[in-house]
Amino acid sequence: MGNTQTAASWEYVAPTEVGYVNTPWLWLSSIFFFFAAIFTDILLVRACLASAYCCLFSNAIYASLTTGRFALDSFLWAILTGFFQFRHLLQMIREEIPPPPLKNPDDQALFAFIHRRSGMVQRDYHRFKGDGLFRHYQAGDTVCDALGARQEFFIIIEGCVEIDVVLSGGDKSIQKKLFSGDAFDLRILNLSGVQVGFANEHFEAVAKTPCMIFVKPVPEFLKLLRTHSYLSNFLRALALCFIAKSVQRNCILDAYGGSEDLPALESGHRSNDFRPLTKEEETSVQWTWKKVFKWIRSSIRIKARNSGIRHMAAPSGGSLATAEVRAVTEEALKRTSTYKPAVKYAPRTEPVRLTDAGGPTMKKDVAAGKLQAGFRGQRDRAQVNKMKGGTGEEDVRLHVRVRVE
């Protein structure tokens, strides 16, 4: 007895009238998908997509109630995809909620400086500050030496600091006075993705007047830029600010182009950029209904974006500089166990010099007055070597040796 197979018959029926087949929930989801296609702001796009999948979920419920069949596939796709859309949407909305106002006057002053110089908002300022501290120094105190400059980043709030530096490849000591609004060591600015330079073999900073300085641990800087990579744009703006201030010593300008009072800065007074934000500056970062409507209107774009919008990258030299700073800092911390920022550096009578020789380990001999450090890189070392023309597989070493001479 042979097997019999029955093929389902199918016949084309030409439509005879125009009608609506979709449910109202599908209409709404299509409208939200349309607005997601014409909006350019990522928050509005996420809001439209999350609303569209919410409508698809409601449509699955509607279909199950009207047909008596549980639409499993509709529920699964609407829940799975909608979950990620709502998750990202809620995170973005949380970022738009203004944090509580800063109560510490020192925090207010530092935020005013960073906001004026980079455009950073208050929520990102909290991330930037992190474990940073405000430290006070008396005239004559050593703020940091070469090792301290590689472990921490310093922004002068008030006071005058004199630095003594010997750049790599040179043998001439350079003395320079830094004032309120200046920063050191500028080598950390290589993390902004631009080859800034400022590599040095010797560095020492001494307070010339009573000073208050904001100190940010470099490891926290590295962690922050990895978890919030967009902050490198603010760091790049700060880098331009600090470099401009380092070369314009005869006529120092504030964030709005006004001239600073140089004698006042030399005596330890604060820069104009640390003054409290004006009402106009505070209003510029606050939400109003007028700004909301303007934001939505400006986010609608029917025409295609200009060509080349996706082709944005840092220069390879800047990536090399960033990798070198990260590698040297991370390997130094690994060799010296857990990082603990010092409260104050003791005055040093002998200079600390950095040379290009080194060994594979770190040794500290307090009795002999010697401190040697050598760093062997891994991932970042391979990246550095590859950028310099290697294959990225060699065992690249960047040796640093520190000794008291």
Side-chain angles (χ1 to χ4, degrees), residues 286-300:
Q286 293 175 353
W287 282 103
T288 62
W289 284 112
K290 183 179 179 180
K291 289 184 179 180
V292 170
F293 289 128
K294 183 178 180 180
W295 164 56
I296 296 176
R297 186 172 63 253
S298 63
S299 299
I300 299 176

Side-chain angles (χ1 to χ4, degrees), residues 161-173:
V161 175
E162 185 177 73
I163 62 172
D164 183 80
V165 58
V166 178
L167 298 178
S168 297
D171 55 358
K172 184 178 179 181
S173 178

Side-chain angles (χ1 to χ4, degrees), residues 175-243:
Q175 286 83 29
K176 179 189 285 188
K177 286 186 178 181
L178 302 180
F179 312 119
S180 174
D182 289 327
F184 58 92
D185 179 7
L186 295 184
R187 165 186 161 273
I188 191 67
L189 299 180
N190 290 292
L191 293 175
S192 63
V194 180
Q195 180 65 267
V196 179
F198 296 105
N200 51 66
E201 295 182 353
H202 163 72
F203 188 92
E204 188 175 35
V206 178
K208 305 303 290 183
T209 65
C211 299
M212 183 175 71
I213 301 177
F214 173 73
V215 183
K216 175 74 175 178
V218 174
E220 291 295 324
F221 237 131
L222 299 175
K223 182 179 178 181
L224 181 66
L225 293 178
R226 284 183 173 175
T227 55
H228 300 82
S229 58
Y230 69 91
L231 290 178
S232 60
N233 296 326
F234 298 107
L235 180 59
R236 192 173 294 117
L238 286 176
L240 292 173
C241 160
F242 293 135
I243 293 174

Side-chain angles (χ1 to χ4, degrees), residues 62-343:
Y62 177 80
S64 300
L65 294 177
T66 55
T67 62
R69 295 181 180 180
F70 185 74
L72 180 61
D73 57 340
S74 299
F75 274 107
L76 289 179
W77 285 114
I79 293 175
L80 180 63
T81 312
F83 167 77
F84 290 103
Q85 296 292 351
F86 270 102
R87 179 184 177 185
H88 291 298
L89 176 61
L90 292 177
Q91 182 179 0
M92 291 181 180
I93 293 177
R94 189 163 54 245
E95 287 291 313
E96 298 300 325
I97 299 176
L102 298 170
K103 297 181 179 180
N104 187 346
D106 296 334
D107 276 322
Q108 294 174 356
L110 181 59
F111 169 66
F113 171 80
I114 294 178
H115 173 72
R116 288 175 174 137
R117 287 295 184 172
S118 68
M120 184 180 293
V121 296
Q122 186 175 327
R123 187 173 294 277
D124 288 325
Y125 167 76
H126 287 290
R127 297 190 178 103
F128 171 80
K129 182 186 177 184
D131 293 338
L133 301 172
F134 294 97
R135 295 186 190 163
H136 295 267
Y137 299 88
Q138 298 300 319
D141 288 345
T142 299
V143 179
C144 75
D145 52 21
L147 290 178
R150 279 150 180 75
Q151 293 176 336
E152 296 172 322
F153 181 62
F154 302 81
I155 299 179
I156 303 175
I157 308 297
E158 62 183 30
C160 176
V161 175
E162 185 177 73
I163 62 172
D164 183 80
V165 58
V166 178
L167 298 178
S168 297
D171 55 358
K172 184 178 179 181
S173 178
I174 302 174
Q175 286 83 29
K176 179 189 285 188
K177 286 186 178 181
L178 302 180
F179 312 119
S180 174
D182 289 327
F184 58 92
D185 179 7
L186 295 184
R187 165 186 161 273
I188 191 67
L189 299 180
N190 290 292
L191 293 175
S192 63
V194 180
Q195 180 65 267
V196 179
F198 296 105
N200 51 66
E201 295 182 353
H202 163 72
F203 188 92
E204 188 175 35
V206 178
K208 305 303 290 183
T209 65
C211 299
M212 183 175 71
I213 301 177
F214 173 73
V215 183
K216 175 74 175 178
V218 174
E220 291 295 324
F221 237 131
L222 299 175
K223 182 179 178 181
L224 181 66
L225 293 178
R226 284 183 173 175
T227 55
H228 300 82
S229 58
Y230 69 91
L231 290 178
S232 60
N233 296 326
F234 298 107
L235 180 59
R236 192 173 294 117
L238 286 176
L240 292 173
C241 160
F242 293 135
I243 293 174
K245 290 171 72 69
S246 67
V247 298
Q248 298 183 70
R249 308 312 291 178
N250 295 329
C251 182
I252 302 177
L253 305 178
D254 60 22
Y256 292 101
S259 298
E260 297 272 13
D261 188 351
L262 187 56
L265 293 179
E266 291 178 343
S267 61
H269 288 79
R270 293 190 178 187
S271 165
N272 296 336
D273 294 331
F274 289 98
R275 293 179 298 184
L277 295 178
T278 62
K279 290 229 172 182
E280 292 77 10
E281 290 173 320
E282 292 179 349
T283 305
S284 65
V285 296
Q286 293 175 353
W287 282 103
T288 62
W289 284 112
K290 183 179 179 180
K291 289 184 179 180
V292 170
F293 289 128
K294 183 178 180 180
W295 164 56
I296 296 176
R297 186 172 63 253
S298 63
S299 299
I300 299 176
R301 185 180 294 272
I302 305 299
K303 295 182 179 180
R305 300 289 290 183
N306 296 332
S307 302
I309 188 173
R310 293 185 62 252
H311 302 284
M312 296 181 294
S316 57
S319 300
L320 171 63
T322 301
E324 286 181 338
V325 173
R326 287 179 174 175
V328 171
T329 302
E330 291 177 354
E331 294 298 329
L333 297 176
K334 289 179 183 178
R335 300 295 183 183
T336 55
S337 67
T338 306
Y339 171 73
K340 296 180 180 179
V343 177

